[in-house]
Amino acid sequence: MKKIIFIMSILCLNAYGISKDYEFKIRKEGRELYTRGSEINNYVEWQIDSYDELLEKVSKSSLSENNKKIVLKRLFSMYRYNFAKQNSVVNDEIEKYMLLENKEKKDIKKEKENKVYIEKIIENSEENSKKELEFLKKKAEQKYPNDYEKQKIYIEAVLENLNIYKFK
């Protein structure tokens, strides 16, 4: 009788599309936690349903594909084959990564604005100070490569100091 229940539950698991490795680990964990076949089957079904919900929540989120993979790997590394636990905390993880993505987008936008700002300073300057500003821009690029925010701050600070000394 136990063999029939075991074979039926394996066939049932294959219908869900869960990987064989996950299937084996869930079943093994179910056997360690419970003694009765029906309890094991209930546990396995619960884990599979949680797994399906987990995948659905992640796929429906507006995260980038890379961050979706990261969220799934992160949850798996924290809770291994406990998909019910993963499913209970997946919304928090999605929210964290959404905040990170939004911050990255804002940072990229700000970097572009700062780059344009630096170029406008140079374009609007007088001809003889253009060379000095180009030199200042090169210095800023050397000090802070690929960080336009720091380059802007550096250029503004130098220009501010030059204006102070001009008035003295």
Side-chain angles (χ1 to χ4, degrees):
M1 186 69 178
K2 284 186 177 183
K3 286 183 181 181
I4 293 173
I5 292 173
F6 181 72
I7 292 171
M8 296 267 303
S9 62
I10 288 176
L11 293 173
C12 190
L13 281 174
N14 289 335
Y16 286 101
I18 194 166
S19 76
K20 297 272 187 196
D21 184 40
Y22 288 2
E23 170 188 330
F24 179 75
K25 297 289 185 179
I26 291 171
R27 179 142 311 280
K28 182 179 175 187
E29 195 171 279
R31 284 194 302 265
E32 289 172 1
L33 294 172
Y34 302 103
T35 55
R36 292 181 36 206
S38 61
E39 291 173 334
I40 295 171
N41 286 336
N42 288 340
Y43 176 79
V44 170
E45 286 179 28
W46 177 48
Q47 290 295 332
I48 290 173
D49 289 342
S50 297
Y51 178 78
D52 290 339
E53 286 179 41
L54 169 75
L55 291 180
E56 186 177 332
K57 287 177 184 178
V58 171
S59 67
K60 284 185 178 180
S61 72
S62 59
L63 289 173
S64 66
E65 290 302 314
N66 188 40
N67 281 343
K68 286 179 183 179
K69 290 176 185 175
I70 291 171
V71 166
L72 290 173
K73 284 182 183 178
R74 184 175 158 83
L75 288 171
F76 189 78
S77 67
M78 287 190 292
Y79 303 111
R80 302 300 294 169
Y81 299 98
N82 188 348
F83 297 112
K85 181 64 176 172
Q86 289 183 33
N87 189 35
S88 69
V89 297
V90 70
N91 290 332
D92 295 335
E93 290 295 314
I94 290 171
E95 190 175 317
K96 285 179 196 174
Y97 278 87
M98 287 298 297
L99 290 173
L100 285 174
E101 278 186 4
N102 290 336
K103 184 181 181 308
E104 287 174 3
K105 288 176 185 175
K106 288 178 185 176
D107 289 347
I108 290 170
K109 183 180 175 185
K110 192 169 187 172
E111 286 288 309
K112 287 180 182 177
E113 289 172 357
N114 290 332
K115 186 175 183 179
V116 169
Y117 175 80
I118 291 170
E119 295 298 325
K120 282 184 179 180
I121 287 175
I122 293 172
E123 283 177 20
N124 296 332
S125 64
E126 295 177 13
E127 196 59 42
N128 49 343
S129 65
K130 261 191 182 176
K131 291 179 184 174
E132 294 169 354
L133 286 173
E134 284 291 336
F135 176 76
L136 185 59
K137 180 183 173 192
K138 286 180 185 174
K139 272 292 211 197
E141 287 173 352
Q142 287 174 353
K143 268 187 163 293
Y144 308 105
N146 300 323
D147 192 347
Y148 296 109
E149 175 71 20
K150 289 183 180 178
Q151 289 177 18
K152 175 187 168 191
I153 293 169
Y154 177 79
I155 291 171
E156 286 178 339
V158 170
L159 292 176
E160 187 177 311
N161 284 334
L162 288 175
N163 286 337
I164 290 171
Y165 289 119
K166 284 182 182 178
F167 295 116
K168 288 184 177 181

